[in-house]
Amino acid sequence: MKLRLNGEETELPGVRTLPEIVAALGLAPETLLIEHNGTALHRAEWEGRQVKEGDSLEILRIAAGG
């Protein structure tokens, strides 16, 4: 599936949901904020969120530091 991920066209075969995308990218879900087609999502909304060809995702990683 071709998606726009953080502003760049990316191909991720075999994914259909946000949790599948997070896993395919090897990211820790508890450190992420995700925006799907301009809508910021709570982590509880990820499971049922279907992603379609051409959708846009912004994935931000939260990092604590000082």
Side-chain angles (χ1 to χ4, degrees):
M1 173 181 309
K2 289 184 183 176
L3 303 167
R4 183 158 286 291
L5 179 59
N6 293 346
E8 295 189 21
E9 191 167 307
T10 303
E11 188 154 350
L12 293 171
V15 298
R16 300 204 186 284
T17 66
L18 291 178
E20 290 173 350
I21 291 169
V22 169
L25 295 172
L27 301 173
E30 61 277 0
T31 66
L32 303 178
L33 295 173
I34 298 180
E35 182 180 283
H36 179 223
N37 292 330
T39 301
L41 302 172
H42 292 279
R43 196 169 301 125
E45 297 175 285
W46 295 4
E47 192 62 42
R49 183 63 66 133
Q50 293 291 310
V51 180
K52 299 180 204 118
E53 184 90 16
D55 279 2
S56 176
L57 296 174
E58 293 292 325
I59 300 179
L60 303 172
R61 182 179 282 165
I62 307 300

